[in-house]
Amino acid sequence: MDGDDLPRTKGDLASMLAAESLDSLSQDELRDRIGRLELEIARTRSHMENADRHRRAAELLFRPPA
């Protein structure tokens, strides 16, 4: 099993980002952070869609004959 397939622990990057204080960041830094997070969300959604297409193709291939 690939390490990317394993469940994340509480110490994963998303949890660390959520716990990080934003108080010291400027407006520009906050906009930049939002932009990078939106890119990561888009990348994650794309990966989910690809995985879903792969799963559906496998289900069609391996479904029992009617």
Side-chain angles (χ1 to χ4, degrees):
M1 181 181 283
D2 191 333
D4 291 340
D5 297 332
L6 299 174
R8 300 286 181 174
T9 62
K10 278 191 161 185
D12 70 359
L13 186 54
S15 297
M16 287 186 254
L17 282 171
E20 192 176 289
S21 174
L22 303 176
D23 293 338
S24 64
L25 299 178
S26 69
Q27 292 289 317
D28 288 338
E29 290 170 323
L30 290 168
R31 278 188 210 84
D32 182 56
R33 180 184 176 107
I34 289 169
R36 285 183 279 122
L37 291 169
E38 287 173 340
L39 287 173
E40 181 59 17
I41 290 167
R43 186 178 79 91
T44 303
R45 285 190 174 138
S46 175
H47 183 78
M48 287 175 56
E49 291 165 1
N50 289 338
D52 188 50
R53 280 194 296 275
H54 187 268
R55 179 191 48 80
R56 282 185 278 132
E59 286 174 352
L60 288 173
L61 182 63
F62 294 107
R63 71 176 170 203

Short mmCIF file of all heavy atoms in Angstrom, two decimals:
data_model
loop_
_atom_site.label_atom_id
_atom_site.label_comp_id
_atom_site.label_asym_id
_atom_site.label_seq_id
_atom_site.Cartn_x
_atom_site.Cartn_y
_atom_site.Cartn_z
N MET A 1 0.85 -1.18 0.00
CA MET A 1 0.00 0.00 0.00
C MET A 1 0.89 1.24 0.00
O MET A 1 1.85 1.33 0.73
CB MET A 1 -0.91 -0.03 1.23
CG MET A 1 -1.85 1.15 1.29
SD MET A 1 -2.91 1.17 2.74
CE MET A 1 -4.11 -0.04 2.28
N ASP A 2 0.55 2.18 -0.83
CA ASP A 2 1.29 3.43 -0.93
C ASP A 2 1.06 4.28 0.31
O ASP A 2 -0.03 4.30 0.88
CB ASP A 2 0.80 4.18 -2.18
CG ASP A 2 1.68 5.35 -2.54
OD1 ASP A 2 2.33 5.91 -1.65
OD2 ASP A 2 1.70 5.70 -3.73
N GLY A 3 2.07 5.01 0.76
CA GLY A 3 1.95 5.86 1.94
C GLY A 3 0.88 6.93 1.79
O GLY A 3 0.29 7.37 2.78
N ASP A 4 0.60 7.36 0.55
CA ASP A 4 -0.44 8.36 0.33
C ASP A 4 -1.83 7.82 0.60
O ASP A 4 -2.78 8.57 0.79
CB ASP A 4 -0.40 8.89 -1.11
CG ASP A 4 0.84 9.74 -1.37
OD1 ASP A 4 1.44 10.22 -0.39
OD2 ASP A 4 1.19 9.90 -2.54
N ASP A 5 -1.98 6.49 0.60
CA ASP A 5 -3.28 5.87 0.82
C ASP A 5 -3.58 5.67 2.30
O ASP A 5 -4.71 5.32 2.65
CB ASP A 5 -3.35 4.52 0.11
CG ASP A 5 -3.22 4.66 -1.39
OD1 ASP A 5 -3.60 5.72 -1.92
OD2 ASP A 5 -2.74 3.72 -2.03
N LEU A 6 -2.58 5.85 3.13
CA LEU A 6 -2.79 5.63 4.56
C LEU A 6 -3.51 6.80 5.21
O LEU A 6 -3.35 7.94 4.77
CB LEU A 6 -1.43 5.42 5.26
CG LEU A 6 -0.63 4.22 4.78
CD1 LEU A 6 0.75 4.23 5.44
CD2 LEU A 6 -1.35 2.93 5.08
N PRO A 7 -4.31 6.55 6.25
CA PRO A 7 -5.00 7.65 6.92
C PRO A 7 -3.99 8.59 7.57
O PRO A 7 -2.91 8.18 8.00
CB PRO A 7 -5.84 6.96 8.00
CG PRO A 7 -5.61 5.51 7.89
CD PRO A 7 -4.61 5.26 6.81
N ARG A 8 -4.32 9.85 7.59
CA ARG A 8 -3.45 10.86 8.18
C ARG A 8 -3.63 10.89 9.69
O ARG A 8 -4.71 10.62 10.20
CB ARG A 8 -3.77 12.25 7.62
CG ARG A 8 -3.60 12.36 6.14
CD ARG A 8 -2.16 12.38 5.80
NE ARG A 8 -2.01 12.51 4.35
CZ ARG A 8 -0.88 12.68 3.76
NH1 ARG A 8 0.22 12.71 4.43
NH2 ARG A 8 -0.83 12.80 2.45
N THR A 9 -2.57 11.24 10.38
CA THR A 9 -2.65 11.38 11.82
C THR A 9 -3.07 12.79 12.17
O THR A 9 -3.16 13.66 11.31
CB THR A 9 -1.28 11.09 12.46
OG1 THR A 9 -0.36 12.07 11.98
CG2 THR A 9 -0.78 9.70 12.12
N LYS A 10 -3.32 13.04 13.45
CA LYS A 10 -3.72 14.39 13.87
C LYS A 10 -2.64 15.41 13.58
O LYS A 10 -2.91 16.59 13.50
CB LYS A 10 -4.03 14.40 15.37
CG LYS A 10 -5.41 13.92 15.69
CD LYS A 10 -5.72 14.22 17.13
CE LYS A 10 -7.21 14.17 17.34
NZ LYS A 10 -7.59 14.57 18.67
N GLY A 11 -1.41 15.00 13.40
CA GLY A 11 -0.32 15.91 13.13
C GLY A 11 -0.13 16.19 11.65
O GLY A 11 0.93 16.64 11.25
N ASP A 12 -1.14 15.94 10.82
CA ASP A 12 -0.97 16.17 9.38
C ASP A 12 -0.91 17.67 9.08
O ASP A 12 -1.20 18.52 9.93
CB ASP A 12 -2.04 15.47 8.56
CG ASP A 12 -3.42 16.08 8.69
OD1 ASP A 12 -3.60 17.04 9.44
OD2 ASP A 12 -4.34 15.58 8.03
N LEU A 13 -0.49 18.00 7.89
CA LEU A 13 -0.26 19.38 7.51
C LEU A 13 -1.52 20.24 7.62
O LEU A 13 -1.46 21.39 8.06
CB LEU A 13 0.31 19.44 6.09
CG LEU A 13 0.75 20.81 5.60
CD1 LEU A 13 1.75 21.45 6.56
CD2 LEU A 13 1.35 20.69 4.23
N ALA A 14 -2.67 19.72 7.21
CA ALA A 14 -3.91 20.50 7.27
C ALA A 14 -4.23 20.88 8.72
O ALA A 14 -4.65 22.01 8.99
CB ALA A 14 -5.07 19.71 6.65
N SER A 15 -4.03 19.95 9.64
CA SER A 15 -4.28 20.25 11.05
C SER A 15 -3.31 21.29 11.57
O SER A 15 -3.69 22.18 12.35
CB SER A 15 -4.16 18.98 11.90
OG SER A 15 -5.15 18.05 11.53
N MET A 16 -2.07 21.19 11.13
CA MET A 16 -1.07 22.18 11.57
C MET A 16 -1.40 23.57 11.02
O MET A 16 -1.28 24.57 11.73
CB MET A 16 0.33 21.76 11.13
CG MET A 16 0.88 20.59 11.92
SD MET A 16 2.58 20.27 11.46
CE MET A 16 2.38 18.79 10.51
N LEU A 17 -1.84 23.63 9.76
CA LEU A 17 -2.22 24.91 9.18
C LEU A 17 -3.41 25.52 9.91
O LEU A 17 -3.46 26.73 10.14
CB LEU A 17 -2.56 24.75 7.70
CG LEU A 17 -1.39 24.64 6.75
CD1 LEU A 17 -1.87 24.26 5.36
CD2 LEU A 17 -0.60 25.92 6.71
N ALA A 18 -4.37 24.70 10.27
CA ALA A 18 -5.56 25.19 10.95
C ALA A 18 -5.23 25.73 12.34
O ALA A 18 -5.90 26.64 12.83
CB ALA A 18 -6.60 24.08 11.06
N ALA A 19 -4.19 25.20 12.96
CA ALA A 19 -3.81 25.63 14.30
C ALA A 19 -2.87 26.83 14.28
O ALA A 19 -2.64 27.47 15.31
CB ALA A 19 -3.15 24.48 15.04
N GLU A 20 -2.34 27.16 13.12
CA GLU A 20 -1.36 28.24 13.00
C GLU A 20 -2.02 29.61 13.20
O GLU A 20 -3.09 29.89 12.67
CB GLU A 20 -0.75 28.17 11.60
CG GLU A 20 0.46 29.02 11.40
CD GLU A 20 1.04 28.79 10.01
OE1 GLU A 20 1.60 27.69 9.78
OE2 GLU A 20 0.90 29.68 9.17
N SER A 21 -1.37 30.46 13.97
CA SER A 21 -1.87 31.81 14.20
C SER A 21 -1.70 32.66 12.94
O SER A 21 -0.65 32.62 12.29
CB SER A 21 -1.12 32.46 15.35
OG SER A 21 -1.51 33.82 15.48
N LEU A 22 -2.71 33.43 12.62
CA LEU A 22 -2.66 34.30 11.45
C LEU A 22 -2.42 35.76 11.85
O LEU A 22 -2.34 36.64 10.99
CB LEU A 22 -3.98 34.20 10.67
CG LEU A 22 -4.38 32.80 10.21
CD1 LEU A 22 -5.74 32.84 9.53
CD2 LEU A 22 -3.34 32.21 9.29
N ASP A 23 -2.30 36.01 13.14
CA ASP A 23 -2.21 37.37 13.66
C ASP A 23 -1.04 38.16 13.09
O ASP A 23 -1.15 39.38 12.89
CB ASP A 23 -2.11 37.36 15.18
CG ASP A 23 -3.38 36.86 15.85
OD1 ASP A 23 -4.44 36.91 15.20
OD2 ASP A 23 -3.30 36.40 17.01
N SER A 24 0.08 37.53 12.82
CA SER A 24 1.26 38.27 12.38
C SER A 24 1.32 38.47 10.87
O SER A 24 2.24 39.12 10.37
CB SER A 24 2.53 37.54 12.84
OG SER A 24 2.60 36.28 12.20
N LEU A 25 0.35 37.94 10.13
CA LEU A 25 0.38 38.04 8.66
C LEU A 25 -0.28 39.32 8.18
O LEU A 25 -1.32 39.75 8.69
CB LEU A 25 -0.33 36.83 8.04
CG LEU A 25 0.28 35.47 8.35
CD1 LEU A 25 -0.55 34.36 7.70
CD2 LEU A 25 1.72 35.37 7.92
N SER A 26 0.32 39.92 7.15
CA SER A 26 -0.24 41.13 6.54
C SER A 26 -1.39 40.73 5.61
O SER A 26 -1.60 39.54 5.32
CB SER A 26 0.84 41.85 5.74
OG SER A 26 1.19 41.09 4.59
N GLN A 27 -2.11 41.73 5.11
CA GLN A 27 -3.19 41.47 4.16
C GLN A 27 -2.66 40.77 2.91
O GLN A 27 -3.28 39.84 2.41
CB GLN A 27 -3.87 42.79 3.77
CG GLN A 27 -4.63 43.45 4.90
CD GLN A 27 -5.89 42.68 5.24
OE1 GLN A 27 -6.62 42.25 4.34
NE2 GLN A 27 -6.14 42.51 6.52
N ASP A 28 -1.51 41.22 2.41
CA ASP A 28 -0.92 40.58 1.22
C ASP A 28 -0.54 39.13 1.51
O ASP A 28 -0.74 38.24 0.67
CB ASP A 28 0.31 41.36 0.74
CG ASP A 28 -0.05 42.68 0.09
OD1 ASP A 28 -1.21 42.83 -0.37
OD2 ASP A 28 0.82 43.57 0.04
N GLU A 29 0.03 38.89 2.67
CA GLU A 29 0.41 37.52 3.04
C GLU A 29 -0.83 36.64 3.19
O GLU A 29 -0.81 35.46 2.80
CB GLU A 29 1.21 37.52 4.34
CG GLU A 29 2.60 38.13 4.18
CD GLU A 29 3.30 38.35 5.51
OE1 GLU A 29 2.63 38.74 6.50
OE2 GLU A 29 4.54 38.16 5.54
N LEU A 30 -1.90 37.20 3.72
CA LEU A 30 -3.14 36.43 3.86
C LEU A 30 -3.74 36.11 2.48
O LEU A 30 -4.18 34.98 2.25
CB LEU A 30 -4.15 37.19 4.72
CG LEU A 30 -3.79 37.30 6.20
CD1 LEU A 30 -4.69 38.30 6.90
CD2 LEU A 30 -3.86 35.94 6.88
N ARG A 31 -3.71 37.07 1.56
CA ARG A 31 -4.19 36.81 0.20
C ARG A 31 -3.36 35.73 -0.48
O ARG A 31 -3.90 34.85 -1.15
CB ARG A 31 -4.15 38.10 -0.64
CG ARG A 31 -5.33 39.00 -0.43
CD ARG A 31 -5.31 40.16 -1.44
NE ARG A 31 -5.94 41.32 -0.88
CZ ARG A 31 -5.35 42.21 -0.08
NH1 ARG A 31 -4.08 42.11 0.22
NH2 ARG A 31 -6.02 43.24 0.40
N ASP A 32 -2.05 35.80 -0.31
CA ASP A 32 -1.16 34.79 -0.88
C ASP A 32 -1.45 33.42 -0.29
O ASP A 32 -1.51 32.43 -1.02
CB ASP A 32 0.31 35.19 -0.62
CG ASP A 32 1.28 34.21 -1.24
OD1 ASP A 32 1.19 33.98 -2.47
OD2 ASP A 32 2.13 33.67 -0.50
N ARG A 33 -1.65 33.38 1.00
CA ARG A 33 -1.96 32.11 1.68
C ARG A 33 -3.27 31.53 1.14
O ARG A 33 -3.35 30.33 0.84
CB ARG A 33 -2.05 32.34 3.18
CG ARG A 33 -2.37 31.11 4.00
CD ARG A 33 -2.54 31.50 5.46
NE ARG A 33 -2.93 30.39 6.29
CZ ARG A 33 -2.12 29.78 7.15
NH1 ARG A 33 -0.88 30.19 7.29
NH2 ARG A 33 -2.55 28.77 7.87
N ILE A 34 -4.29 32.38 1.00
CA ILE A 34 -5.57 31.92 0.46
C ILE A 34 -5.38 31.38 -0.95
O ILE A 34 -5.92 30.32 -1.30
CB ILE A 34 -6.61 33.05 0.50
CG1 ILE A 34 -7.02 33.33 1.94
CG2 ILE A 34 -7.84 32.70 -0.35
CD1 ILE A 34 -7.85 34.60 2.12
N GLY A 35 -4.62 32.08 -1.77
CA GLY A 35 -4.36 31.62 -3.14
C GLY A 35 -3.70 30.25 -3.17
O GLY A 35 -4.09 29.38 -3.94
N ARG A 36 -2.69 30.06 -2.32
CA ARG A 36 -2.01 28.76 -2.27
C ARG A 36 -2.94 27.66 -1.77
O ARG A 36 -2.93 26.54 -2.28
CB ARG A 36 -0.76 28.85 -1.40
CG ARG A 36 0.37 29.59 -2.12
CD ARG A 36 1.66 29.65 -1.31
NE ARG A 36 1.56 30.74 -0.33
CZ ARG A 36 1.67 30.60 0.98
NH1 ARG A 36 1.91 29.43 1.51
NH2 ARG A 36 1.56 31.64 1.78
N LEU A 37 -3.78 27.99 -0.79
CA LEU A 37 -4.73 27.00 -0.27
C LEU A 37 -5.78 26.65 -1.33
O LEU A 37 -6.16 25.48 -1.47
CB LEU A 37 -5.40 27.50 1.01
CG LEU A 37 -4.48 27.60 2.23
CD1 LEU A 37 -5.17 28.36 3.35
CD2 LEU A 37 -4.05 26.22 2.69
N GLU A 38 -6.23 27.65 -2.09
CA GLU A 38 -7.20 27.37 -3.16
C GLU A 38 -6.59 26.49 -4.24
O GLU A 38 -7.27 25.60 -4.77
CB GLU A 38 -7.71 28.68 -3.75
CG GLU A 38 -8.68 29.40 -2.81
CD GLU A 38 -9.09 30.78 -3.29
OE1 GLU A 38 -8.36 31.38 -4.13
OE2 GLU A 38 -10.12 31.28 -2.80
N LEU A 39 -5.32 26.70 -4.56
CA LEU A 39 -4.65 25.82 -5.52
C LEU A 39 -4.57 24.39 -4.99
O LEU A 39 -4.76 23.42 -5.74
CB LEU A 39 -3.24 26.33 -5.83
CG LEU A 39 -3.16 27.58 -6.71
CD1 LEU A 39 -1.71 28.08 -6.78
CD2 LEU A 39 -3.69 27.28 -8.10
N GLU A 40 -4.30 24.24 -3.71
CA GLU A 40 -4.23 22.90 -3.11
C GLU A 40 -5.60 22.24 -3.09
O GLU A 40 -5.73 21.04 -3.33
CB GLU A 40 -3.63 22.98 -1.71
CG GLU A 40 -3.50 21.64 -1.02
CD GLU A 40 -2.64 20.61 -1.76
OE1 GLU A 40 -1.86 20.99 -2.66
OE2 GLU A 40 -2.75 19.41 -1.44
N ILE A 41 -6.64 23.02 -2.83
CA ILE A 41 -8.00 22.48 -2.87
C ILE A 41 -8.33 21.99 -4.28
O ILE A 41 -8.87 20.89 -4.46
CB ILE A 41 -9.03 23.53 -2.39
CG1 ILE A 41 -8.87 23.75 -0.88
CG2 ILE A 41 -10.45 23.10 -2.73
CD1 ILE A 41 -9.60 24.96 -0.36
N ALA A 42 -7.98 22.78 -5.29
CA ALA A 42 -8.23 22.38 -6.69
C ALA A 42 -7.46 21.11 -7.02
O ALA A 42 -7.99 20.20 -7.68
CB ALA A 42 -7.84 23.51 -7.63
N ARG A 43 -6.21 21.01 -6.58
CA ARG A 43 -5.40 19.81 -6.83
C ARG A 43 -6.02 18.59 -6.15
O ARG A 43 -6.10 17.49 -6.73
CB ARG A 43 -3.98 20.03 -6.32
CG ARG A 43 -3.01 18.92 -6.64
CD ARG A 43 -1.62 19.27 -6.14
NE ARG A 43 -1.48 19.04 -4.72
CZ ARG A 43 -1.05 17.89 -4.18
NH1 ARG A 43 -0.72 16.88 -4.95
NH2 ARG A 43 -0.93 17.78 -2.89
N THR A 44 -6.51 18.78 -4.93
CA THR A 44 -7.13 17.68 -4.18
C THR A 44 -8.43 17.23 -4.85
O THR A 44 -8.68 16.03 -4.99
CB THR A 44 -7.39 18.11 -2.73
OG1 THR A 44 -6.15 18.52 -2.14
CG2 THR A 44 -7.98 16.98 -1.91
N ARG A 45 -9.24 18.18 -5.29
CA ARG A 45 -10.49 17.84 -5.98
C ARG A 45 -10.20 17.08 -7.28
O ARG A 45 -10.88 16.11 -7.60
CB ARG A 45 -11.30 19.09 -6.27
CG ARG A 45 -11.97 19.63 -5.03
CD ARG A 45 -12.95 20.73 -5.35
NE ARG A 45 -13.66 21.09 -4.13
CZ ARG A 45 -13.94 22.30 -3.75
NH1 ARG A 45 -13.57 23.32 -4.51
NH2 ARG A 45 -14.59 22.53 -2.63
N SER A 46 -9.20 17.51 -8.02
CA SER A 46 -8.83 16.83 -9.25
C SER A 46 -8.41 15.39 -8.96
O SER A 46 -8.79 14.46 -9.68
CB SER A 46 -7.70 17.59 -9.93
OG SER A 46 -7.25 16.89 -11.06
N HIS A 47 -7.63 15.21 -7.91
CA HIS A 47 -7.20 13.86 -7.54
C HIS A 47 -8.40 12.99 -7.16
O HIS A 47 -8.48 11.82 -7.55
CB HIS A 47 -6.21 13.93 -6.38
CG HIS A 47 -5.65 12.61 -5.99
ND1 HIS A 47 -4.65 11.99 -6.69
CD2 HIS A 47 -5.98 11.78 -4.98
CE1 HIS A 47 -4.38 10.82 -6.12
NE2 HIS A 47 -5.18 10.68 -5.09
N MET A 48 -9.34 13.57 -6.42
CA MET A 48 -10.55 12.83 -6.05
C MET A 48 -11.35 12.42 -7.28
O MET A 48 -11.84 11.28 -7.36
CB MET A 48 -11.43 13.67 -5.12
CG MET A 48 -10.89 13.81 -3.72
SD MET A 48 -11.90 14.93 -2.70
CE MET A 48 -13.51 14.20 -2.82
N GLU A 49 -11.50 13.34 -8.23
CA GLU A 49 -12.24 13.03 -9.46
C GLU A 49 -11.56 11.93 -10.26
O GLU A 49 -12.22 11.02 -10.77
CB GLU A 49 -12.40 14.29 -10.30
CG GLU A 49 -13.32 15.31 -9.67
CD GLU A 49 -13.22 16.70 -10.30
OE1 GLU A 49 -12.43 16.86 -11.27
OE2 GLU A 49 -13.91 17.60 -9.81
N ASN A 50 -10.23 11.98 -10.35
CA ASN A 50 -9.49 10.92 -11.05
C ASN A 50 -9.65 9.58 -10.35
O ASN A 50 -9.84 8.55 -11.00
CB ASN A 50 -8.01 11.28 -11.16
CG ASN A 50 -7.76 12.40 -12.13
OD1 ASN A 50 -8.56 12.66 -13.03
ND2 ASN A 50 -6.64 13.09 -11.96
N ALA A 51 -9.59 9.59 -9.03
CA ALA A 51 -9.75 8.35 -8.27
C ALA A 51 -11.17 7.79 -8.45
O ALA A 51 -11.36 6.58 -8.58
CB ALA A 51 -9.46 8.59 -6.79
N ASP A 52 -12.16 8.68 -8.50
CA ASP A 52 -13.54 8.24 -8.69
C ASP A 52 -13.73 7.63 -10.08
O ASP A 52 -14.37 6.58 -10.22
CB ASP A 52 -14.50 9.41 -8.49
CG ASP A 52 -15.95 8.97 -8.49
OD1 ASP A 52 -16.28 8.02 -7.75
OD2 ASP A 52 -16.75 9.57 -9.24
N ARG A 53 -13.15 8.26 -11.11
CA ARG A 53 -13.23 7.69 -12.46
C ARG A 53 -12.56 6.32 -12.53
O ARG A 53 -13.08 5.39 -13.14
CB ARG A 53 -12.59 8.64 -13.48
CG ARG A 53 -13.49 9.78 -13.90
CD ARG A 53 -12.95 10.49 -15.13
NE ARG A 53 -11.68 11.14 -14.89
CZ ARG A 53 -11.54 12.35 -14.38
NH1 ARG A 53 -12.60 13.04 -14.04
NH2 ARG A 53 -10.35 12.88 -14.20
N HIS A 54 -11.43 6.20 -11.88
CA HIS A 54 -10.71 4.93 -11.86
C HIS A 54 -11.54 3.85 -11.15
O HIS A 54 -11.65 2.72 -11.64
CB HIS A 54 -9.37 5.13 -11.15
CG HIS A 54 -8.48 3.94 -11.20
ND1 HIS A 54 -8.47 2.98 -10.22
CD2 HIS A 54 -7.58 3.54 -12.14
CE1 HIS A 54 -7.60 2.05 -10.54
NE2 HIS A 54 -7.05 2.36 -11.70
N ARG A 55 -12.16 4.20 -10.02
CA ARG A 55 -12.99 3.26 -9.28
C ARG A 55 -14.18 2.81 -10.13
O ARG A 55 -14.49 1.61 -10.21
CB ARG A 55 -13.48 3.88 -7.98
CG ARG A 55 -14.37 2.94 -7.16
CD ARG A 55 -15.08 3.65 -6.01
NE ARG A 55 -15.72 4.89 -6.38
CZ ARG A 55 -16.90 4.99 -6.99
NH1 ARG A 55 -17.57 3.91 -7.33
NH2 ARG A 55 -17.42 6.16 -7.27
N ARG A 56 -14.85 3.77 -10.79
CA ARG A 56 -16.01 3.41 -11.61
C ARG A 56 -15.61 2.52 -12.78
O ARG A 56 -16.33 1.57 -13.12
CB ARG A 56 -16.72 4.67 -12.11
CG ARG A 56 -17.58 5.30 -11.00
CD ARG A 56 -18.39 6.48 -11.50
NE ARG A 56 -17.51 7.66 -11.49
CZ ARG A 56 -17.37 8.52 -12.49
NH1 ARG A 56 -18.05 8.36 -13.59
NH2 ARG A 56 -16.55 9.55 -12.39
N ALA A 57 -14.46 2.78 -13.38
CA ALA A 57 -13.98 1.94 -14.48
C ALA A 57 -13.70 0.53 -13.98
O ALA A 57 -14.03 -0.46 -14.65
CB ALA A 57 -12.72 2.54 -15.11
N ALA A 58 -13.11 0.42 -12.80
CA ALA A 58 -12.83 -0.90 -12.24
C ALA A 58 -14.13 -1.64 -11.91
O ALA A 58 -14.25 -2.84 -12.14
CB ALA A 58 -11.96 -0.76 -10.98
N GLU A 59 -15.11 -0.92 -11.39
CA GLU A 59 -16.40 -1.55 -11.09
C GLU A 59 -17.06 -2.08 -12.36
O GLU A 59 -17.62 -3.17 -12.35
CB GLU A 59 -17.33 -0.55 -10.39
CG GLU A 59 -16.96 -0.27 -8.96
CD GLU A 59 -17.79 0.84 -8.32
OE1 GLU A 59 -18.57 1.51 -9.04
OE2 GLU A 59 -17.66 1.04 -7.10
N LEU A 60 -16.98 -1.33 -13.45
CA LEU A 60 -17.54 -1.80 -14.71
C LEU A 60 -16.79 -3.02 -15.24
O LEU A 60 -17.40 -3.96 -15.74
CB LEU A 60 -17.51 -0.69 -15.77
CG LEU A 60 -18.49 0.44 -15.58
CD1 LEU A 60 -18.21 1.56 -16.59
CD2 LEU A 60 -19.92 -0.06 -15.76
N LEU A 61 -15.49 -3.01 -15.11
CA LEU A 61 -14.67 -4.10 -15.60
C LEU A 61 -14.90 -5.39 -14.81
O LEU A 61 -14.95 -6.48 -15.39
CB LEU A 61 -13.19 -3.71 -15.54
CG LEU A 61 -12.19 -4.72 -16.07
CD1 LEU A 61 -12.42 -4.96 -17.57
CD2 LEU A 61 -10.78 -4.24 -15.81
N PHE A 62 -15.04 -5.27 -13.52
CA PHE A 62 -15.11 -6.45 -12.66
C PHE A 62 -16.51 -6.80 -12.16
O PHE A 62 -16.65 -7.66 -11.31
CB PHE A 62 -14.16 -6.27 -11.46
CG PHE A 62 -12.72 -6.24 -11.86
CD1 PHE A 62 -12.01 -5.05 -11.85
CD2 PHE A 62 -12.08 -7.38 -12.29
CE1 PHE A 62 -10.68 -5.00 -12.22
CE2 PHE A 62 -10.75 -7.36 -12.67
CZ PHE A 62 -10.04 -6.17 -12.64
N ARG A 63 -17.54 -6.14 -12.68
CA ARG A 63 -18.88 -6.47 -12.22
C ARG A 63 -19.26 -7.87 -12.71
O ARG A 63 -18.81 -8.32 -13.77
CB ARG A 63 -19.88 -5.43 -12.67
CG ARG A 63 -20.19 -5.46 -14.13
CD ARG A 63 -21.25 -4.46 -14.50
NE ARG A 63 -21.33 -4.38 -15.95
CZ ARG A 63 -21.79 -3.39 -16.61
NH1 ARG A 63 -22.24 -2.34 -15.96
NH2 ARG A 63 -21.83 -3.38 -17.91
N PRO A 64 -20.08 -8.54 -11.92
CA PRO A 64 -20.49 -9.90 -12.33
C PRO A 64 -21.32 -9.85 -13.61
O PRO A 64 -22.05 -8.88 -13.85
CB PRO A 64 -21.35 -10.39 -11.16
CG PRO A 64 -21.29 -9.34 -10.12
CD PRO A 64 -20.62 -8.14 -10.66
N PRO A 65 -21.20 -10.87 -14.44
CA PRO A 65 -22.00 -10.90 -15.68
C PRO A 65 -23.49 -10.95 -15.35
O PRO A 65 -23.91 -11.56 -14.37
CB PRO A 65 -21.56 -12.18 -16.39
CG PRO A 65 -20.59 -12.86 -15.52
CD PRO A 65 -20.36 -12.03 -14.29
N ALA A 66 -24.27 -10.30 -16.16
CA ALA A 66 -25.73 -10.25 -15.93
C ALA A 66 -26.40 -11.54 -16.35
O ALA A 66 -25.99 -12.31 -17.09
CB ALA A 66 -26.34 -9.08 -16.70
#
